[in-house]
Structures are given as structure tokens and as C-alpha cells.
Amino acid sequence: MKRVITFGTFDVFHVGHINILERAANHGDYLIVGISSDELNFSKKNRYPIYSQEDRIKIISSMKFVDEVFVEESLELKLDYIKMYNANVLVMGDDWSGKFDWVKPACEVIYLPRTPSISTTEIIEVVKMTR
Ligand code: C2G
């Protein structure tokens, strides 16, 4: 059985998120998703996500092609998570291209093209502008 792992914040959930999860699932038999904690997000982006960690976990867990979720507390722990969840493949969007090649001795790494023209940041900007 091939186990796939992927990571993300999945804030203000949109079709780009669904597309990557669906394609990640198609690379194996079992999909594990590491969801960035609110604190990890704050440290990366200097703001908290719009949707709480709890809600983001609930949304991702409810998807039919997601088998298991956990909270990602640190970017540096990627290799530990890969080992902990016995993942054979790491799938990420190509905005992360090359960034996680250092885990390659432990598992295959695949970067998939992002869905064009949609992002959480853009949605937030549009909502701000139209209020
Ligand atoms: N994504 C995509 N197409 C979009 C938007 C996002 O394919 N239009 C993908 C990203 O490439 C990523 C996943 O959806 O693989 C989640 O995106 P984010 O929530 O923006 O994740 P990020 O904040 O980049 O966190 O350890 C890595 C981090 O946790 C990733």
C-alpha cells in the first residue's frame, strides 16, 4: 500500500485545495494531511489564518479522499512526520518546488502544478475591496 503525505494551511478553503488533495490521493492508496497550526502560520506569515485550526481540521477531515489528518507544528519536522506516518510519497504544490527535496532519502517527492488564478490571499483581497 502506497501512503501519500501532503501539508498545507488550507485557510479559506477553495477549489485549488480540493484539486491538490484529489491529485495527491491519486498518487497512492492512503492520504495523510498535515495541517499547519495557527502558531506555525503566525510565524510564517505574521498573521493568524481566517479559519481556526479546529475548523480547518474539520473541513479537511470531512473530504472523501483524505484518510487521516494531523497538526503540523513546524516546517523543520517534515522528515519526522514522514517517518511517523510511514509515508512513501510527499506531494506539494509547485510553489514549494525544490524546497523539500532534502527529505528524498526517506520518500519520493512530487510537486504538482498549482491551480491557476485562485489563492486564499487573493480571496481575502477581493473581499476587502468589495466591502
Ligand atoms: N494550492 C494549489 N493551488 C492553489 C492554491 C494552493 O495547488 N491555487 C496548494 C499549495 O501548493 C499547497 C496546498 O494547496 O500544496 C496548500 O496550500 P496553502 O494552504 O497555501 O499551504 P501553505 O500555507 O503553503 O502551507 O509545510 C508546508 C506548509 O504547511 C504549506
Side-chain angles (χ1 to χ4, degrees):
M1 190 170 84
K2 209 167 173 186
R3 293 166 66 87
V4 182
I5 195 165
T6 191
F7 296 85
T9 310
F10 305 103
D11 189 25
V12 189
F13 196 67
H14 59 68
V15 74
H17 297 143
I18 298 185
N19 289 340
I20 192 117
L21 292 172
E22 189 176 31
R23 286 177 297 161
N26 286 337
H27 278 274
D29 311 293
Y30 191 87
L31 179 61
I32 305 141
V33 184
I35 301 175
S36 298
S37 69
D38 286 342
E39 293 307 325
L40 173 56
N41 243 266
F42 189 80
S43 70
K44 277 196 308 189
K45 299 178 185 168
N46 220 28
R47 67 163 179 83
Y48 284 104
I50 307 280
Y51 292 179
S52 70
Q53 184 175 313
E54 197 191 2
D55 287 355
R56 291 182 289 113
I57 291 170
K58 194 163 182 183
I59 291 167
I60 305 297
S61 314
S62 72
M63 304 198 63
K64 65 180 177 197
F65 28 73
V66 173
D67 297 293
E68 195 173 341
V69 304
F70 68 93
V71 177
E72 178 191 31
E73 306 278 3
S74 159
L75 294 182
E76 283 83 59
L77 292 176
K78 274 240 155 36
L79 192 56
D80 301 68
Y81 294 130
I82 286 165
K83 288 178 180 163
M84 201 183 300
Y85 289 93
N86 284 316
N88 310 106
V89 190
L90 167 66
V91 171
M92 292 298 298
D94 62 2
D95 46 325
W96 291 94
S97 215
K99 298 260 166 57
F100 298 122
D101 286 356
W102 58 277
V103 306
K104 264 183 189 166
C107 82
E108 188 186 342
V109 181
I110 300 173
Y111 302 100
L112 297 176
R114 275 169 71 95
T115 301
S117 315
I118 189 155
S119 77
T120 299
T121 312
E122 235 170 275
I123 294 169
I124 295 170
E125 288 309 313
V126 170
V127 171
K128 269 192 202 159
M129 266 164 23
T130 52
R131 288 192 76 203

